[in-house]
């Protein structure tokens, strides 16, 4: 934790971003140490945990960090919790909690509320997000969020579905469900992940974009997914693609590259957001829209919120992807929204070196650090 805090202090003195640091450790050896670099890199995904995980993946040459532990000076935001899940980190040691961060101006409460609000759109049972280490759900009446992003469904649903139902494209489906005798297993997946939410189609009135435009953008995302599958960019030809659009023009397209880049954070949405930020030279993608084959997972939704993207257009719900071999996106939502922090899939140890971790925030405050 001392290395994480030291990196955080270095970051704030160099004005790289917020007062956060993280380290990844394996067998007592520090594999990676990083800090928040959102302002330095002009990339909304460059939180301390995300950067440390990326560095560790690169150093070890793998997207699987299950034999590693994470040390982070502050409780992760939803995006970074998603990255912890995708990287399979075995344990997370946390310094100060999000309430402490809120005292210094970094309040993630609105982000947790937004993820919780989107649970209904995703067809998940909503009881309110788990706030802090308490097992008390926050009631709707105490929510402070203001609907940061609009998510719409069903654009080119049949064409997007074909990516998942075709064993030649979706090798995960072919391996798990296509062989003879696995119909029962596939039915079990469909029963376990039923899609209960009503489809939320985008408005297409005079003041909105026409459906033809939405479909044209979605076809670019489909092509990105097809190209990625053909080129073996992801583990088993995963059919995920995304594009970022601004002022009617596609400024970034991407597919899932977890396999080829050995980066656990390299979902299609994350890759598209990073590419768009690089193109525009800013971490703020306000005014941009994102088109994606499947509703974003927790990590990708967190990145969308941090990037200020206000509209997301999807082809399929998370539950559909779960029925064809990709259930982790749904499970990550359940883990974040319904599970007490101490009982999550990744073991959590809270309250490590609290005084030293809070000292980072104090120094940042004394330096008049910028809240991005």
């Amino acid at each position: 934790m001392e290395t994480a805090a030291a990196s955080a202090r270095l970051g704030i003195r160099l004005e790289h971003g917020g007062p956060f640091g993280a380290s990844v450790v394996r067998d007592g050896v520090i594999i990676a140490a990083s800090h928040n670099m959102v302002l330095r890199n002009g990339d909304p995904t460059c939180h301390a945990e995300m950067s440390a995980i990326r560095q560790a993946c690169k150093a070890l040459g793998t997207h699987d960090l299950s034999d590693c532990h994470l040390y982070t000076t502050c409780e992760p935001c939803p995006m970074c919790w998603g990255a912890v899940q995708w990287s399979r980190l075995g344990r997370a040691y946390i310094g100060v909690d999000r309430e402490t961060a809120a005292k210094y101006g970094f309040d993630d409460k609105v982000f947790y509320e937004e993820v919780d609000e989107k649970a209904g759109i995703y067809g998940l049972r909503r009881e309110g997000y788990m706030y802090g280490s308490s097992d008390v759900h926050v009631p709707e009446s105490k929510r402070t969020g203001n609907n940061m992003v609009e998510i719409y469904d069903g654009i080119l649903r049949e064409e997007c579905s074909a990516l998942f139902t075709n064993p030649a494209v979706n090798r995960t489906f072919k391996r798990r469900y296509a062989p003879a005798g696995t119909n029962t297993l596939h039915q079990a997946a469909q029963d376990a992940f039923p899609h209960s939410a009503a489809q939320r189609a985008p408005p297409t009135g005079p003041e909105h974009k026409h459906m033809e435009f939405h479909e044209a953008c979605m076809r670019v995302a489909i092509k990105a997914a097809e190209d990625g599958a053909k080129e073996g960019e992801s583990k088993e030809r995963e059919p995920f693609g995304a594009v970022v659009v601004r002022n009617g023009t596609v400024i970034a397209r991407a597919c899932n590259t977890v396999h080829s880049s050995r980066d656990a954070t390299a979902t299609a949405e994350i890759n598209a957001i990073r590419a768009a930020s690089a193109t525009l030279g800013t971490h703020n993608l306000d005014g941009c829209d994102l088109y994606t084959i499947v509703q974003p997972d927790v990590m990708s939704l967190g990145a969308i919120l941090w990037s200020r993207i206000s509209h997301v257009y999807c082809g399929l719900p998370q539950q559909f992807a779960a029925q064809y071999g990709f259930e982790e996106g749904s499970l990550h939502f359940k883990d974040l929204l319904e599970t007490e922090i101490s009982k999550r899939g990744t073991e959590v140890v809270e309250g490590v070196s609290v005084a030293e971790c809070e000292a980072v925030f104090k120094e940042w405050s004394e330096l008049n650090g910028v809240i991005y």
Side-chain angles (χ1 to χ4, degrees), residues 13 55 71 112 120 129 157 176 217 225 246 252 281 308 317 331:
R13 292 169 188 175
Q55 288 182 14
Y71 288 79
Y112 278 86
Y129 65 88
R157 181 183 179 91
R176 298 179 68 176
C217 293
R246 184 187 188 193
R308 312 302 198 266
L331 294 178

Side-chain angles (χ1 to χ4, degrees), residues 155 202-218 291 313:
I155 299 175
T204 56
E207 70 278 18
H208 299 286
K209 299 180 179 67
H210 294 292
M211 184 57 71
E212 290 82 2
F213 177 82
H214 295 310
E215 292 179 348
C217 293
M218 187 61 73
Y291 291 78
Y313 302 94

Side-chain angles (χ1 to χ4, degrees), residues 163-206:
L163 295 174
F164 287 84
T165 58
N166 183 355
V169 176
N170 182 0
R171 300 293 181 84
T172 296
F173 171 68
K174 181 177 181 179
R175 174 175 57 82
R176 298 179 68 176
Y177 300 135
T182 58
N183 289 337
T184 301
L185 182 60
H186 189 198
Q187 185 60 52
Q190 291 177 318
D191 293 341
F193 298 97
H195 180 50
S196 57
Q199 181 174 303
R200 191 165 183 264
T204 56

Side-chain angles (χ1 to χ4, degrees), residues 23-27 31-32 49-70 83-92 258 262-265 346:
S23 295
V24 175
V25 177
R26 185 175 73 168
D27 297 331
I31 305 300
E49 298 93 335
M50 296 279 283
S51 296
I53 288 171
R54 286 169 179 151
Q55 288 182 14
C57 288
K58 182 177 181 180
L60 299 176
T62 178
H63 59 273
D64 186 347
L65 302 182
S66 55
D67 56 351
C68 298
H69 295 163
L70 175 74
V84 168
Q85 293 291 315
W86 282 123
S87 62
R88 314 285 198 274
L89 280 159
R91 186 178 300 157
V258 169
R262 299 294 192 270
D263 179 355
T265 73
T346 296

Side-chain angles (χ1 to χ4, degrees), residues 2-157:
E2 289 180 359
T3 66
S7 184
R9 289 195 295 271
L10 177 64
I12 61 178
R13 292 169 188 175
L14 294 174
E15 300 182 351
H16 283 180
F20 306 94
S23 295
V24 175
V25 177
R26 185 175 73 168
D27 297 331
V29 177
I30 298 168
I31 305 300
S34 190
H35 51 265
N36 185 295
M37 293 187 287
V38 169
L39 299 181
R40 170 65 178 81
N41 295 345
D43 182 341
T45 75
C46 284
H47 286 200
E49 298 93 335
M50 296 279 283
S51 296
I53 288 171
R54 286 169 179 151
Q55 288 182 14
C57 288
K58 182 177 181 180
L60 299 176
T62 178
H63 59 273
D64 186 347
L65 302 182
S66 55
D67 56 351
C68 298
H69 295 163
L70 175 74
Y71 288 79
T72 178
T73 58
C74 185
E75 181 181 351
C77 70
M79 176 179 70
C80 295
W81 271 122
V84 168
Q85 293 291 315
W86 282 123
S87 62
R88 314 285 198 274
L89 280 159
R91 186 178 300 157
Y93 294 90
I94 297 174
V96 298
D97 57 22
R98 75 183 85 151
E99 288 90 343
T100 300
K103 291 193 309 182
Y104 294 92
F106 279 91
D107 191 353
D108 286 349
K109 186 169 183 282
V110 64
F111 289 88
Y112 278 86
E113 289 180 345
E114 186 70 12
V115 172
D116 174 54
E117 193 275 334
K118 292 301 175 286
I121 294 175
Y122 279 44
L124 301 176
R125 178 171 57 87
R126 286 185 57 202
E127 292 183 358
Y129 65 88
M130 304 299 301
Y131 193 77
S133 60
S134 170
D135 60 356
V136 178
H137 290 290
V138 175
E140 186 75 20
S141 60
K142 293 186 178 181
R143 287 169 48 85
T144 59
N146 57 355
N147 199 34
M148 299 169 68
V149 62
E150 297 286 352
I151 296 180
Y152 302 103
D153 295 299
I155 299 175
L156 293 184
R157 181 183 179 91

Side-chain angles (χ1 to χ4, degrees), residues 251-275:
I251 62 171
R253 67 189 292 272
C255 63
N256 182 299
T257 61
V258 169
H259 177 70
S260 61
S261 63
R262 299 294 192 270
D263 179 355
T265 73
T267 61
E269 296 91 343
I270 293 286
N271 287 341
I273 288 171
R274 300 193 75 189

Side-chain angles (χ1 to χ4, degrees), residues 276-287:
S277 295
T279 297
L280 298 177
T282 177
H283 64 279
N284 188 340
L285 300 184
D286 184 27

